[in-house]
Amino acid sequence: MRLTLKFNLVLSLLFIAGISVSGVLSWKILQNNAQREVIERAGLMMESATAIRWYTINEIKPLLTLPMKKVFLPQSVPAYGATKAFGKLRDKYPQYTYKEATLNPTNLENRTVDWESDIVQYFRNNPKKQEITGVRDTPTGKSLYLARPMVVDNVACLVCHSTPDIAPKTMISRYGSANGFGWKINETIGARIVSVPASLPFKQAKKAFTAFMGSFAGVLAVIFIMMNVMLRYIVIRPVRKMSHIADEVSKGNTEIPEIPSKGKDEMSILASSFNRMRRSLTKAMEMLEKEE
Ligand code: HEC
């Protein structure tokens, strides 16, 4: 087997092993990162919804007490403000959805479905737990979710969520008095849940993976070419030249010039040793010829 072939075979095996190992590792890391990033963004979006809730209950609702006597204004409702603000965020991040899943809601659209009820029960049983994340199967594929408990943390909430007789009449006429009442202060009545299709972090990870592996393969290809060029100019060509000259000398051709042996690397040392040996040989031959 030729030297170049041997060298390239070993190099290729090394590169394939390197690409496979770093491929598996980087895919895992990139996927974890993408998932974390998506969940972090979901958390930020939820924070902004929470801020809107706070703003509505503390700043907007007091202003609307009077006009609310005539007509119900949903702008006074924290859940309305939060959902509206999240809807606006969705213009930019359409994959994210938000729900204030509640066991006994005012608006029946917000009632928990089976898996959401499990999350709310979990928060009710573990009051210290402030957040959970998970993956679940849906008809359209896997979905990631971030859930935080919804606690009645403000007495102002009880105006509309404790008993129908103290709630704004206009609200009762719009939503009825059957649901969304009987809540108590500090009770966990539901969960705020942001969901994202799991395909989103997968797509992000895939993009980063392709870019990373592409540039890695590019670097390896350049190393491969450079190593071959170096092998050719530093080893193969001088060795070929030497073997050609050795051939000629062995055939008795004394006219052939010496091998250039500038430099201090091993090939130059070998070349000067070879030249010295050749000179000694020629001298010995000449002496022999004279004696004859
Ligand atoms: C002015 C009355 C009012 C006040 C005050 C109020 N809410 Fe509500 N809340 C409503 C109405 C009406 C809805 C239904 C909105 C809709 O159509 O989605 C609602 C919806 C909700 C929802 C979504 C689930 C559901 O019941 O439909 C949650 C959770 C909620 N409120 C919690 C709170 C909390 C916590 C507070 C205190 C910070 C609060 N609310 C204060 C009237 C009120």
Side-chain angles (χ1 to χ4, degrees):
M1 207 194 286
R2 297 176 81 165
L3 202 57
T4 322
L5 187 63
K6 266 188 206 164
F7 180 81
N8 281 341
L9 215 63
V10 173
L11 210 58
S12 308
L13 282 176
L14 273 177
F15 283 1
I16 290 170
I19 283 203
S20 320
V21 171
S22 62
V24 170
L25 283 180
S26 64
W27 176 242
K28 276 204 178 128
I29 294 171
L30 287 173
Q31 224 186 355
N32 280 349
N33 279 356
Q35 198 150 317
R36 206 180 47 227
E37 207 176 283
V38 164
I39 292 283
E40 259 169 31
R41 188 177 298 146
L44 260 178
M45 290 167 82
M46 200 183 286
E47 285 306 328
S48 72
T50 311
I52 296 284
R53 291 190 68 89
W54 177 90
Y55 180 73
T56 310
I57 193 81
N58 290 306
E59 306 271 330
I60 304 295
K61 188 186 162 277
L63 298 179
L64 299 181
T65 315
L66 262 183
M68 285 267 281
K69 288 197 187 323
K70 287 206 192 81
V71 58
F72 183 75
L73 297 169
Q75 289 79 359
S76 65
V77 176
Y80 175 85
T83 316
K84 274 270 170 190
F86 202 94
K88 190 69 199 150
L89 277 178
R90 287 193 69 201
D91 285 352
K92 194 145 183 234
Y93 303 105
Q95 309 259 35
Y96 292 75
T97 54
Y98 175 68
K99 182 171 175 188
E100 299 196 348
T102 309
L103 296 175
N104 170 24
T106 309
N107 182 341
L108 292 176
E109 271 181 25
N110 299 325
R111 198 196 286 282
T112 47
V113 293
D114 47 4
W115 66 277
E116 294 166 345
S117 311
D118 292 345
I119 291 178
V120 177
Q121 278 310 332
Y122 176 83
F123 282 134
R124 283 168 83 96
N125 298 336
N126 302 277
K128 288 219 172 73
K129 201 83 187 165
Q130 285 308 307
E131 182 178 295
I132 52 172
T133 54
V135 183
R136 62 185 195 90
D137 286 310
T138 71
T140 51
K142 285 195 184 310
S143 170
L144 283 176
Y145 66 82
L146 168 74
R148 292 185 184 159
M150 170 65 85
V151 180
V152 184
D153 53 0
N154 192 325
V155 280
C157 312
L158 300 180
V159 175
C160 301
H161 291 296
S162 59
T163 52
D165 48 298
I166 61 163
K169 302 254 167 321
T170 47
M171 176 184 143
I172 303 287
S173 55
R174 182 156 166 170
Y175 292 93
S177 55
N179 334 288
F181 296 103
W183 299 3
K184 296 190 179 58
I185 190 80
N186 292 330
E187 183 188 357
T188 302
I189 43 93
R192 293 168 301 150
I193 303 175
V194 176
S195 302
V196 198
S199 58
L200 182 69
F202 183 80
K203 268 190 217 142
Q204 283 179 3
K206 209 165 134 192
K207 216 163 130 192
F209 182 74
T210 318
F212 171 71
M213 289 314 278
S215 52
F216 187 47
V219 168
L220 289 189
V222 170
I223 293 178
F224 191 86
I225 293 168
M226 290 305 291
M227 295 282 252
N228 267 286
V229 170
M230 280 165 72
L231 182 72
R232 188 171 177 80
Y233 283 95
I234 298 174
V235 182
I236 308 278
R237 269 174 69 156
V239 166
R240 276 208 192 129
K241 208 178 234 167
M242 261 185 253
S243 81
H244 170 69
I245 293 176
D247 251 9
E248 289 299 308
V249 172
S250 75
K251 283 183 205 153
N253 179 358
T254 48
E255 299 303 306
I256 193 148
E258 292 206 336
I259 311 165
S261 60
K262 277 177 269 149
K264 283 196 175 131
D265 64 6
E266 285 79 355
M267 292 313 288
S268 312
I269 295 171
L270 179 62
S272 18
S273 308
F274 182 82
N275 287 339
R276 230 177 7 254
M277 191 182 80
R278 178 185 164 188
R279 265 178 257 134
S280 316
L281 197 70
T282 324
K283 243 182 233 157
M285 299 271 277
E286 277 168 9
M287 277 162 81
L288 270 179
E289 271 168 21
K290 265 188 212 155
E291 271 174 27
E292 272 170 15

